[in-house]
Amino acid sequence: MPPEAIDQAAADDAARRRAETALASGDPTGWFEPLYAAAEAGQAVVPWYRGEPGPELAAWAAANPGQGRSALVVGCGLGDDAELLAQAGYTTSAFDVSPSAIKAVLNRFPDTRVSYRTADLLDPPAEWHHAFDVVVEILTVQSMPKSVRDAAIASVAGFLAPGGTLVVGAFAEESIDLATWSGPPWPLNRAELDSFARDGVRATTVDRVREGSRWWAQFTREA
């Protein structure tokens, strides 16, 4: 379904119900596969799908050409961010916990240069440890409950190679009335954002964008 045809409130509500069911069964990532499978069957829409990369990442990639450096997109969804990085000259890998999401990506981009695979952020492949010059994490960690968020953040930070750059985009908790907010996604607060800086990773820039509603931050691992 084209992004402009999405009933956003209905899509958000359907995703929320799937997340509640998975969380009630103790599976913090179990709602992604049913969502993407239903979307592939034409029975649901992916509420965060916009059909193009986010503007912050597009501007970042334009200012930071890849020149063959390696990049990893966390929770790639339907692939727009990963395709952008490949077009910007990065040797790009991307993953999602949902096999149906990866199938949909390969249907959208049959001639892709990106290496896509199914993987779990909470149990990532060991060979990805400190392996990527650029790591992109946008809205994935915050789609998980707080009970597993620290482990997810540790995995993301662990992908970054020495001298590399991690970019993080997320809804900012400080800009949201939590009394009326229903997730997923659940916003990140400043302390959670700062916690990407661990084990040799440090923040280089932390900004609020989109009228202060979102974080856009960059980190590096000391070489």
Side-chain angles (χ1 to χ4, degrees):
M1 181 180 295
E4 62 272 12
I6 291 176
D7 181 333
Q8 194 64 52
D12 289 345
D13 186 60
R16 190 172 299 118
R17 290 196 302 272
R18 286 187 170 90
E20 289 171 350
T21 299
L23 295 176
S25 67
D27 186 355
T29 62
W31 60 284
F32 291 106
E33 172 57 18
L35 171 62
Y36 280 106
E40 271 289 276
Q43 300 168 353
V45 294
V46 179
W48 48 84
Y49 172 58
R50 299 293 180 269
E52 60 185 8
E56 294 83 16
L57 184 63
W60 184 91
N64 297 273
Q67 300 176 330
R69 290 180 295 163
S70 62
L72 177 70
V73 177
V74 176
C76 63
L78 294 176
D80 294 291
D81 290 346
E83 294 298 316
L84 170 73
L85 292 179
Q87 292 167 11
Y90 289 91
T91 300
T92 307
S93 299
F95 74 95
D96 202 282
V97 73
S98 165
S100 292
I102 299 303
K103 178 182 176 182
V105 168
L106 296 176
N107 286 337
R108 286 188 74 202
F109 303 108
D111 299 320
T112 185
R113 300 193 304 271
V114 177
S115 175
Y116 289 103
R117 66 179 288 182
T118 303
D120 187 345
L121 179 58
L122 299 177
D123 186 22
E127 64 267 24
W128 287 356
H129 187 64
H130 292 192
F132 296 93
D133 299 315
V134 168
V135 177
V136 174
E137 191 322 79
I138 300 176
L139 305 185
T140 299
V141 166
Q142 69 177 83
S143 69
M144 301 179 180
K146 287 185 180 289
S147 60
V148 299
R149 200 170 285 178
D150 186 68
I153 289 171
S155 285
V156 172
F159 298 141
L160 190 61
T165 299
L166 163 65
V167 294
V168 177
F171 287 100
E173 182 178 294
E174 288 79 354
S175 68
I176 289 168
D177 180 0
L178 293 179
T180 60
W181 180 273
S182 295
W186 298 274
L188 290 186
N189 59 42
R190 178 60 189 263
E192 289 172 316
L193 184 73
D194 288 344
S195 72
F196 282 91
R198 60 176 71 200
D199 300 328
V201 175
R202 62 175 178 83
T204 55
T205 63
V206 176
D207 297 308
R208 296 274 286 274
V209 297
R210 304 196 193 188
E211 299 182 338
S213 66
R214 293 198 185 191
W215 297 114
W216 183 255
Q218 297 184 52
F219 300 81
T220 189
R221 181 181 298 283
E222 300 295 346

